[in-house]
Amino acid sequence: LEERVLFSYDAATFRQVPELVVMPRSEEDVIQTVQFARKYHIPISPRGAGTGMSGGAIPNPGAMIIGFERMNRIWEINQIEKYAVVEPGVLTGDLQEKVLEMGLFYPPDPSSYLVSTLGGNIAEGAGGLRCAKYGVTKNYVLGLRVVTMLGEVITTGALAEDPRFPDLTPLFIGSEGTLGIVTIIVLRLIKAPECTQTMLAFFPTGTDAAEAVSTILKERLLPSVMEFLDRMTLKAITGYVPLEIPEQAEAMLLIEVDGSEADIKEQLPLVMECCQGCQGFQMLQASEAKKRNRLWELRRSVSPSLARLASGKINEDVCVPRGEMIRLVEACQELSKHTGLMIPVYGHAADGNLHVNVMYDRNNQDQIDQAQFAVEQVFQKTLELGGTLSGEHGIGRTKRDYLPMQFSPYYIECFRQIKQVWDPEGLMNPGVMYPLENSAENT
Ligand code: MLT
Ligand code: ZN
């Protein structure tokens, strides 16, 4: 039991101890596990490192976890064709480090690159820090091998046996373990940028920071990273980071520019000018890894610092058109006043993907209700602004019941029917993304 408890949680609030944990070492082990599960009608939840934010790796009661810790081999890195062939349990950061030694780059980083796995990133359709310039995980997946619930292996994209058929790769990216189990991944690699410069700027208001983001984009500059932190987030990290945060700062942008030396020489001063023009102050910049890491600590410390603020933390990852970002931040500040809850907002300003964190006391029913209300209001506002409920954390168990706010019954039925084709008995990660009438959840 003690060992199974380790597989009972992720970074969302759900907890469920699995009935069984299987840790395959090979695709053949996965096939046998699936056949066993089917024979005894046991639901399966695939699991990477358990860093997910929406409960996607939490099993149903009585279900089995397939953990990918032992399928963590990098089979090939092809420097000429620029691709890597990996197993799903490889840590994102490990691949990044290995390919960098060869002058190559795997850009996606859902902020958790040191601990999250490539299989998990694919299951959740992860986005992250470098999306605006480099795209998200799905832009790098060239092909997959997938074990279906029937115990068959199918190959997609670059691995497909017959390229004349439609490429099914995108179907599995972001499918949260509900359609099949990925056993091999082919990833696109690109040439590593020659150098990278990091800078940060503080702003007297959130509107100024949002304005700076718009100005930078209007000027057709393309930083690789543009991370936004609002006033409450800055308060939360104050004292836990190696830099002093100015009292009058209501927002901060962490910006990174990469490319050739000439690109950086050209772009960085222009980016700084844009920030200055929008009241940016106390700007810092760094090119050397150690100094850059110091600046990054302000961003990397956000999640753990927020966890100290309250016993309950709902971390949403809504996404709005970039020009509307500030309206969402302001709506969250209003909501915070209205509910009395702390609602810090931070995230990937470069692609409008904001992390709205609703903090509450888990032992206080009134706060639990207020938090639920706040989340619904945030979703409402996001949709009003033309956004979407999840930019990168997935739907999982936390957002499943809100799907009808964004999708019509017909649309949801289409999703259900796709699942029905791949998983007729409803054994693949039931309870996640969409509840199925015939899923094992209901048996
Ligand atoms: C992030 O961007 O930091 C993650 O998506 C969410 C988090 O850890 O708060
Ligand atoms: Zn994020």
Side-chain angles (χ1 to χ4, degrees):
L1 176 67
E2 290 85 353
E3 280 175 289
R4 281 186 286 132
V5 169
L6 298 176
F7 296 84
S8 65
Y9 59 87
D10 66 0
T13 43
F14 294 92
R15 302 280 175 268
Q16 177 63 50
V17 180
E19 197 59 31
L20 203 63
V21 176
V22 178
M23 309 244 267
R25 287 184 194 277
S26 65
E27 184 177 89
E28 188 47 40
D29 289 351
V30 175
I31 295 170
Q32 284 186 24
T33 308
V34 164
Q35 284 167 344
F36 171 85
R38 208 167 152 231
K39 182 166 171 196
Y40 295 100
H41 205 68
I42 304 170
I44 289 177
S45 290
R47 179 184 171 97
T51 55
M53 300 246 156
S54 57
I58 305 301
N60 265 357
M64 172 204 296
I65 288 274
I66 303 192
F68 282 92
E69 271 162 57
R70 291 175 182 164
M71 282 183 70
N72 62 353
R73 281 159 289 201
I74 297 177
W75 286 117
E76 184 186 354
I77 297 173
N78 191 310
Q79 275 179 286
I80 297 171
E81 301 296 337
K82 297 194 180 45
Y83 66 79
V85 182
V86 302
E87 288 183 334
V90 172
L91 299 185
T92 310
D94 282 356
L95 178 71
Q96 285 177 342
E97 200 183 301
K98 268 258 152 46
V99 302
L100 197 58
E101 287 164 12
M102 302 175 179
L104 296 172
F105 190 31
Y106 175 69
D109 170 10
S111 314
S112 54
Y113 74 119
L114 290 176
V115 278
S116 63
T117 63
L118 291 162
N121 293 177
I122 287 174
E124 298 304 311
L129 301 169
R130 300 197 189 93
C131 304
K133 178 165 181 182
Y134 290 108
V136 293
T137 302
K138 77 170 176 215
N139 302 114
Y140 290 84
V141 184
L142 297 175
L144 298 170
R145 277 177 78 89
V146 181
V147 174
T148 72
M149 204 53 222
L150 298 180
E152 303 284 337
V153 176
I154 62 143
T155 51
T156 76
L159 295 174
E161 271 137 41
D162 191 336
R164 282 170 306 177
F165 290 110
D167 182 4
L168 294 180
T169 311
L171 186 64
F172 292 97
I173 302 171
S175 68
E176 304 189 19
T178 62
L179 301 180
I181 302 175
V182 171
T183 52
I184 290 286
I185 306 162
V186 185
L187 293 169
R188 180 164 76 92
L189 304 172
I190 59 175
K191 182 173 162 281
E194 265 169 46
C195 30
T196 307
Q197 284 256 11
T198 308
M199 63 156 281
L200 61 78
F202 294 98
F203 293 86
T205 69
T207 311
D208 291 324
E211 199 52 48
V213 171
S214 303
T215 313
I216 289 167
L217 295 170
K218 270 189 222 147
E219 291 295 322
R220 287 177 295 155
L221 299 164
L222 194 52
S224 49
V225 170
M226 275 202 282
E227 291 291 303
F228 169 86
L229 274 63
D230 81 343
R231 175 186 42 193
M232 218 173 270
T233 310
L234 287 175
K235 277 220 173 86
I237 60 169
T238 300
Y240 295 106
V241 287
L243 281 173
E244 204 171 309
I245 295 168
E247 275 278 307
Q248 67 278 32
E250 296 263 315
M252 188 198 98
L253 288 177
L254 175 85
I255 300 177
E256 212 156 74
V257 180
D258 68 5
S260 66
E261 251 180 70
D263 289 340
I264 290 184
K265 265 208 184 110
E266 188 197 326
Q267 295 228 357
L268 192 68
L270 294 173
V271 169
M272 291 181 98
E273 248 173 58
C274 293
C275 290
Q276 248 155 5
C278 296
Q279 324 308 326
F281 63 97
Q282 211 158 311
M283 290 197 249
L284 296 169
Q285 69 176 88
S287 53
E288 189 200 303
K290 208 165 152 202
K291 290 198 179 132
R292 286 179 47 223
N293 281 339
R294 245 164 78 88
L295 302 188
W296 267 104
E297 266 185 59
L298 271 77
R299 173 61 178 88
R300 302 256 186 224
S301 67
V302 169
S303 232
S305 301
L306 293 186
R308 283 186 283 251
L309 291 183
S311 56
K313 172 176 180 286
I314 306 175
N315 183 352
E316 296 302 355
D317 63 318
V318 290
C319 205
V320 291
R322 289 171 286 197
E324 304 289 2
M325 206 179 72
I326 193 59
R327 292 182 62 197
L328 186 70
V329 175
E330 283 166 1
C332 292
Q333 286 168 353
E334 277 304 306
L335 255 179
S336 172
K337 273 192 213 137
H338 181 79
T339 57
L341 301 177
M342 286 185 275
I343 309 185
V345 181
Y346 64 96
H348 319 301
D351 62 347
N353 186 190
L354 289 179
H355 298 319
V356 177
N357 280 244
V358 181
M359 313 301 303
Y360 66 99
D361 178 353
R362 291 172 94 143
N363 300 313
N364 178 329
Q365 190 54 46
D366 185 45
Q367 287 205 13
I368 295 173
D369 296 343
Q370 290 289 0
Q372 221 43 56
F373 168 78
V375 166
E376 273 172 40
Q377 295 298 305
V378 170
F379 287 158
Q380 195 68 51
K381 189 72 195 172
T382 300
L383 296 174
E384 251 173 64
L385 295 173
T388 183
L389 300 189
S390 175
E392 59 167 350
H393 293 167
I395 298 300
R397 291 173 184 272
T398 56
K399 285 191 275 286
R400 185 187 72 185
D401 297 334
Y402 297 104
L403 273 197
M405 286 175 80
Q406 183 170 354
F407 298 104
S408 68
Y410 170 75
Y411 214 119
I412 293 175
E413 186 51 30
C414 290
F415 286 141
R416 282 207 173 107
Q417 289 191 15
I418 292 171
K419 175 151 171 71
Q420 177 75 25
V421 168
W422 291 93
D423 178 27
E425 291 163 46
L427 292 173
M428 283 296 312
N429 221 4
V432 165
M433 246 177 129
Y434 27 55
L436 283 180
E437 287 88 2
N438 69 339
S439 76
E441 182 183 36
N442 303 326
T443 59

